[in-house]
Amino acid sequence: MRSLISHQKPKSPITEQYRTIRTNIQFSNVDSDIRSIMVTSSFPSEGKSTTTANLAVVFAQQGKKVLFVDADLRKPTVQYTFQLENHVGLTNVLTRQTTLHSAVQKSHIESLSILTSGPIPPNPAELLGSQTMEDLMNEMYENYDIVIFDTPPVLPVADANILANLCHGIVLVVKSGGVDRDSALKATEILKGAKGKLLGAVVNQKKQSEGNYYYYYGTK
């Protein structure tokens, strides 16, 4: 649980930045509620999974019934972050081996439930792009206030692009000094090309001398 600073240190400046991101997301669409958010990055190791987990925590701290889904079916990490078993998860639900209700696990955080990835499948993109996935999301909306997806990076694989137009909003995580501008722009174009609604970007791992650790800016 080392990466869950929003739970461990709720009064820290970094946690406050996560709350700011939460607020910006909630006000990014005044006409309708954002019920599903996917968080992704251009490449691996940009901090997207840590960002996703902490966003899920601060939404739960607001009293919302949150489901955090590990949709990174290639390199899942949510089970480690929340110290859960990963024998049964999203892949089992999508292949109709079990139900959503049976696969979801309670976390140690009030109002926050977790759907781990389950066993790594040979066809992640096909599963995420299936009609079963669309049906599953509708079921999730019936049971939770907001669903937050941790997805694979955009540029190496197509998985995130597939989910882009199924979710109400997308947050792109960018590692400060770790990704060149062209790659970030390319990832943005791919997501928009998939008819996804990009809510904004989180720029993380900035040095303390440059200000806060986490920044958020909206995109049109």
Side-chain angles (χ1 to χ4, degrees):
M1 297 187 291
R2 289 176 295 176
S3 60
L4 290 179
I5 190 169
S6 55
H7 174 64
Q8 297 166 334
K9 298 181 179 180
K11 295 183 179 180
S12 74
I14 297 177
T15 300
E16 189 57 38
Q17 289 299 313
Y18 281 120
R19 294 194 189 101
T20 300
I21 296 169
R22 179 191 66 195
T23 300
N24 288 345
I25 289 172
Q26 291 172 324
F27 282 92
S28 62
N29 190 351
V30 295
D31 295 325
S32 60
D33 290 338
I34 294 176
R35 300 287 307 283
S36 58
I37 302 165
M38 60 166 275
V39 183
T40 188
S41 58
S42 302
F43 293 109
S45 303
E46 292 193 66
K48 71 169 178 64
S49 293
T50 297
T51 299
T52 315
N54 282 283
L55 275 180
V57 170
V58 295
F59 270 104
Q61 288 172 344
Q62 201 178 38
K64 292 186 179 297
K65 193 175 181 182
V66 181
L67 178 62
F68 180 16
V69 181
D70 193 344
D72 190 338
L73 303 184
R74 299 173 189 270
K75 192 177 180 182
T77 60
V78 171
Q79 70 271 22
Y80 304 121
T81 303
F82 290 91
Q83 299 180 349
L84 298 171
E85 296 291 337
N86 191 31
H87 303 303
V88 177
L90 177 60
T91 55
N92 304 91
V93 179
L94 291 176
T95 53
R96 303 182 186 278
Q97 298 174 32
T98 189
T99 63
L100 175 64
H101 177 75
S102 297
V104 167
Q105 301 180 61
K106 294 290 185 181
S107 75
H108 57 284
I109 297 168
E110 187 176 358
S111 298
L112 178 58
S113 299
I114 311 292
L115 179 61
T116 62
S117 67
I120 295 175
N123 55 341
E126 182 179 334
L127 284 179
L128 295 175
S130 65
Q131 180 62 48
T132 305
M133 184 68 206
E134 291 189 41
D135 296 341
L136 178 59
M137 290 187 70
N138 289 328
E139 184 180 354
M140 291 173 179
Y141 294 147
E142 293 175 1
N143 293 279
Y144 299 93
D145 297 320
I146 188 164
V147 186
I148 301 177
F149 293 89
D150 182 10
T151 68
V154 176
L155 298 183
V157 293
D159 303 19
N161 315 348
I162 293 170
L163 280 178
N165 67 347
L166 294 180
C167 294
H168 295 156
I170 304 165
V171 173
L172 181 68
V173 176
V174 180
K175 182 179 179 181
S176 177
V179 174
D180 61 86
R181 179 180 175 84
D182 289 343
S183 295
L185 288 174
K186 184 177 180 182
T188 300
E189 291 170 0
I190 290 173
L191 291 170
K192 288 183 176 180
K195 297 181 180 180
K197 181 176 182 180
L198 188 61
L199 302 176
V202 174
V203 182
N204 67 12
Q205 298 188 30
K206 272 183 170 286
K207 295 179 182 179
Q208 190 172 12
S209 60
E210 296 179 71
N212 293 323
Y213 287 99
Y214 290 81
Y215 292 80
Y216 178 89
Y217 59 89
T219 60
K220 296 182 179 179

